[in-house]
Structures are given as structure tokens and as C-alpha cells.
């Protein structure tokens, strides 16, 4: 039929059998296929890519240490930068007759102490909130992973808000123990004129007057203030990030640049900060008055202030905490980006749960 042998025709470059035509007829013969890329090689390349992308494994010791370091930078720097606003806020809380509003508070403080007077309490603020940030963010990651392992993959997704609340509350319990001594010294410096101008002056004087109790008598109201604040801060942030990527950001997180992801972080942080300020403000007022007055208890201060009194200075606190929380999350996430730490995307329903609920195709 054919006058000569027709050259080999390949129908598939990898696996299909090849056709060889001869003059006597059509003969089908399976020729050796071109070797496919081994699956082990693909897995090795994927693993190498992951290693290149991240500097450590999620949940490793290095991961927790660097998260704690990120907490030091985010909390220590932001709280110190906002010392002037914090000073005026504390003075409004303890002496509302003299410091009538946020603007009046700045005016009176500058008139009496000069511009340098606005920096009073910066040292205990820096050291105290650096230690708090170390425990707050570092332990949050520890407890989040620990509680998630206890719940399992499906329950972690279903109860994720409760998981955020429990992990953040556990972390803040220890963070406040680290913060309490410096917070007590800060309030004395900022709200008692003539008591002390520096941490080196305040600490020995406080110890001589009341012993170690002077530094820890405010820890219970501090827990009352900071634990609800931190629970709101982390849970609201996590769920807001999830909602922003789902309903606002026009593309998946995986397609967003690092800069775009950090913008989402900042916006979610500010929204969370506003709610944090409202939830924690009454306890913050009690802490400020308690650390100023000798021999008072939290219950006595609460009765003295009354319902209206505990809300004094709320506007200043909303501005302060909203900005503070947004900056803290932005800095913390930036540290994670800089050190190439794993940053898990917003949670998605596990396939096993989708099958149980009949949602999988």
C-alpha cells in the first residue's frame, strides 16, 4: 500500500503508544515513553520552595521566640510614642476638675511642666509594655496552637472565635504580671505632681512606702482591664481580617502583595482597637485612681467613681487605643514578614467537615 516506510508519528509526548506504518500494513507497537518527572522530585521542589519562603516551621521554638520579639517591638515602641496622650488621659481620670478635656489637659500640662512634662513616665512605659508585648503576642501563638491541637482540625474551625478568646486571655494573664510593676510606677509619676520624675526615683520610694505590694496591688484591676481588652483585640482582629478578605478585598489573600496584606492588617487592627477601648475603659479608670491613692481597694475606687466617673476620658482612650492597636498589629505583622515567619491565611472549612455537612461536590 505504501511505497516506503512512513516515519514514526507521536500522538502523545509522554505516555501514548506510538504508531509505526509499514508497506505490509498497519502495525501498532508500544514504544518506550519519554520519562515523566518523578512525583518525589515534585515533592522535593515544593518542600524546597517552602523552605525558601519561610525561615522556620510554624509552631517551632524559633517561631515563638521571634513572635515574642515582634511583641516587644510592637508594644514597647507604640505605647512609648503615645506617652503624652496617655499622661493626659490618666490625669483626666484622676482629676477631672482640673483636666476637663483632652485639649484642656494638654494645655494645662504644658503650662505647668513645659513640653518635656508630656514625656513623664516614658521609661516605665517602655520597659513595662515591652515585657507585656513579649508575653502577650508570644504566649498567644503558643496557646493558640496548643488549644487548636486539643480541639482538632474540625472543632478548631467551628470554635475559632472561642479559641482566639481563650488563647488571648491565657496569654494576657501572664503579660499583666510582667506589666504590673512598671504600670504602677508610671501612674505615680504621671498623676502625682512632685512624687517622682523618673523611674529611678519612683521605684525605691514606692518600695520604701509599701514594699513589694506597691508594685502588684494593681494586678487584679489590671487583669480586669487588660484581659477583656486583649480578648477583644485578638478575636475581633482575627475575625475582621477574615471578613475583609471575604467581603471587601477583591482578590484572595494569596494573590495580594505583602504591602496589601499589611494594609488589611492595619485596618482590621484599628477596628479592633475601637472596641477594645470601650470594653476596657471602666477598669482602666479604676487602675489609674487605685495606683494614685494609697491604701485604697478596687471596690472602694469603683464606688467612689460611680458609673459616670468610670467613663471619663473615653474619647482620648478611643483615639489612643484605636491608633495603638492598629500600629501594634501592623508592626507585629511586619516583623513576621521581615523574618519570613509563617503567616497562615484566614481559616477555611476543612474538607472533612464539608463532606459531613454535605457541602463538598
Amino acid at each position: 500500500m505504501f511505497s516506503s516506510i512512513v516515519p514514526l508519528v507521536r500522538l502523545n509526548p509522554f505516555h501514548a503508544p506510538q504508531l509505526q506504518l509499514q508497506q505490509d500494513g498497519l502495525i501498532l507497537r508500544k514504544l518506550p515513553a519519554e520519562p515523566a518527572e518523578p512525583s518525589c522530585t515534585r515533592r522535593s521542589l515544593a518542600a524546597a520552595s517552602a523552605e525558601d519562603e519561610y525561615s522556620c516551621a510554624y509552631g517551632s521554638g524559633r517561631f515563638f521566640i521571634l513572635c515574642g520579639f515582634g511583641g516587644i517591638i510592637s508594644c514597647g515602641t507604640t505605647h512609648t510614642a503615645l506617652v503624652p496622650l496617655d499622661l493626659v488621659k490618666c490625669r483626666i481620670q484622676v482629676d477631672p476638675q482640673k483636666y476637663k478635656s483632652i485639649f484642656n489637659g494638654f494645655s494645662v500640662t504644658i503650662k505647668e511642666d513645659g513640653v518635656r512634662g508630656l514625656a513623664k513616665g516614658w521609661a516605665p512605659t517602655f520597659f513595662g509594655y515591652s515585657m507585656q508585648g513579649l508575653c502577650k503576642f508570644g504566649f498567644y501563638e503558643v496557646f493558640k496552637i496548643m488549644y487548636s491541637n486539643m480541639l482538632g482540625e474540625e472543632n478548631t474551625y467551628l470554635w475559632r472565635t472561642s479559641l482566639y478568646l481563650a488563647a488571648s486571655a491565657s496569654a494576657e494573664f501572664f503579660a499583666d504580671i510582667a506589666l504590673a510593676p512598671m504600670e504602677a510606677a508610671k501612674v505615680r509619676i504621671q498623676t502625682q505632681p512632685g512624687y517622682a520624675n523618673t523611674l529611678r526615683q519612683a521605684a525605691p520610694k514606692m518600695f520604701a512606702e509599701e514594699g513589694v505590694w506597691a508594685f502588684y496591688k494593681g494586678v487584679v484591676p489590671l487583669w480586669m482591664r487588660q484581659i477583656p481588652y486583649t480578648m477583644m483585640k485578638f478575636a475581633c482582629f482575627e475575625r475582621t481580617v477574615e471578613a475583609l478578605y471575604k467581603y471587601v478585598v477583591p482578590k484572595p489573600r494569596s494573590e495580594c502583595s505583602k504591602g496589601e496584606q499589611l494594609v488589611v492588617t492595619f485596618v482590621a487592627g484599628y477596628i479592633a482597637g475601637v472596641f477594645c477601648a470601650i470594653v476596657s475603659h471602666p477598669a482602666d479608670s479604676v487602675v489609674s485612681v487605685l495606683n494614685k491613692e494609697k491604701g485604697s481597694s478596687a471596690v472602694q475606687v469603683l464606688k467612689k467613681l460611680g458609673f459616670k466617673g468610670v467613663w471619663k476620658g473615653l474619647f482620648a482612650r478611643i483615639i489612643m487605643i484605636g491608633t495603638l492597636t492598629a500600629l501594634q498589629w501592623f508592626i507585629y505583622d511586619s516583623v513576621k514578614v521581615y523574618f519570613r515567619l509563617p503567616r497562615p491565611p484566614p481559616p477555611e472549612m476543612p474538607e472533612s467537615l464539608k463532606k459531613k455537612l454535605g457541602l463538598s461536590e
Side-chain angles (χ1 to χ4, degrees):
M1 183 186 299
F2 296 98
S3 59
S4 61
I5 296 176
V6 179
L8 193 68
V9 179
R10 294 187 183 277
L11 297 180
N12 187 298
F14 295 110
H15 305 295
Q18 311 302 327
L19 292 177
Q20 185 177 19
L21 298 178
Q22 290 184 339
Q23 186 175 10
D24 297 330
L26 181 65
I27 297 177
L28 180 65
R29 191 177 74 181
K30 189 172 183 179
L31 299 179
E34 294 181 4
E37 184 183 7
S39 60
C40 61
T41 303
R42 290 196 296 270
R43 287 195 295 269
S44 299
L45 290 173
S49 176
E51 288 178 2
D52 290 340
E53 184 179 358
Y54 301 127
S55 65
C56 61
Y58 181 67
S60 64
R62 175 182 168 83
F63 174 79
F64 292 134
I65 289 170
L66 289 176
C67 284
F69 178 69
I72 290 174
I73 296 176
S74 67
C75 290
T77 55
T78 51
H79 276 278
T80 304
L82 291 177
V83 161
L85 184 59
D86 183 46
L87 179 142
V88 172
K89 183 266 301 177
C90 286
R91 290 184 171 181
I92 292 172
Q93 289 172 327
V94 301
D95 194 355
Q97 300 301 319
K98 183 176 181 180
Y99 305 95
K100 296 178 174 58
S101 67
I102 184 171
F103 301 107
N104 175 258
F106 272 105
S107 177
V108 172
T109 300
I110 293 172
K111 189 179 295 183
E112 292 181 349
D113 302 325
V115 176
R116 290 186 63 182
L118 293 172
K120 275 189 174 182
W122 74 267
T125 297
F126 176 75
F127 292 117
Y129 282 93
S130 292
M131 294 306 298
Q132 188 214 34
L134 168 68
C135 298
K136 185 198 297 272
F137 284 94
F139 285 156
Y140 173 71
E141 300 289 356
V142 170
F143 284 117
K144 186 166 71 167
I145 291 175
M146 185 175 76
Y147 294 158
S148 177
N149 291 337
M150 291 167 62
L151 289 171
E153 185 183 27
E154 292 180 4
N155 286 328
T156 291
Y157 177 79
L158 292 172
W159 296 93
R160 59 192 183 281
T161 302
S162 298
L163 171 68
Y164 304 146
L165 292 170
S168 56
S170 301
E172 189 60 36
F173 177 85
F174 296 101
D176 289 342
I177 295 173
L179 170 64
M182 294 294 102
E183 178 73 2
K186 175 187 79 76
V187 173
R188 291 283 182 96
I189 293 169
Q190 291 181 338
T191 62
Q192 292 188 8
Y195 184 84
N197 290 319
T198 65
L199 177 61
R200 286 181 296 178
Q201 294 173 354
K205 195 171 181 179
M206 291 170 64
F207 183 76
E209 291 175 351
E210 300 180 68
V212 176
W213 175 245
F215 300 99
Y216 286 99
K217 71 175 185 177
V219 73
V220 173
L222 202 56
W223 281 327
M224 291 167 57
R225 180 188 83 183
Q226 289 297 130
I227 290 178
Y229 162 84
T230 301
M231 291 170 71
M232 183 66 72
K233 175 179 181 174
F234 282 85
C236 185
F237 171 80
E238 298 270 20
R239 293 309 298 259
T240 302
V241 167
E242 187 179 337
L244 288 175
Y245 279 114
K246 188 174 182 179
Y247 300 110
V248 179
V249 180
K251 54 186 176 181
R253 179 180 181 267
S254 58
E255 297 178 13
C256 295
S257 66
K258 292 291 191 295
E260 290 170 336
Q261 291 176 18
L262 290 174
V263 170
V264 173
T265 296
F266 184 85
V267 173
Y270 211 103
I271 293 170
V274 173
F275 289 100
C276 288
I278 296 169
V279 166
S280 62
H281 189 72
D284 182 64
S285 298
V286 173
V287 170
S288 296
V289 176
L290 187 66
N291 283 319
K292 178 192 175 186
E293 297 182 355
K294 299 176 187 177
S296 297
S297 68
V299 176
Q300 290 171 334
V301 171
L302 192 59
K303 287 180 179 178
K304 179 182 175 182
L305 290 174
F307 179 81
K308 190 175 180 181
V310 296
W311 295 105
K312 290 283 186 181
L314 177 61
F315 178 68
R317 185 168 169 79
I318 285 176
I319 296 174
M320 174 184 165
I321 297 301
T323 306
L324 196 71
T325 306
L327 288 174
Q328 283 178 359
W329 277 115
F330 182 83
I331 293 169
Y332 179 66
D333 219 21
S334 297
V335 170
K336 280 187 167 182
V337 169
Y338 179 80
F339 286 109
R340 296 187 295 112
L341 299 184
R343 298 162 60 241
E348 294 183 0
M349 185 179 291
E351 287 299 323
S352 59
L353 188 58
K354 287 182 180 178
K355 290 179 181 178
K356 287 182 180 179
L357 298 176
L359 300 176
S360 59
E361 295 181 358

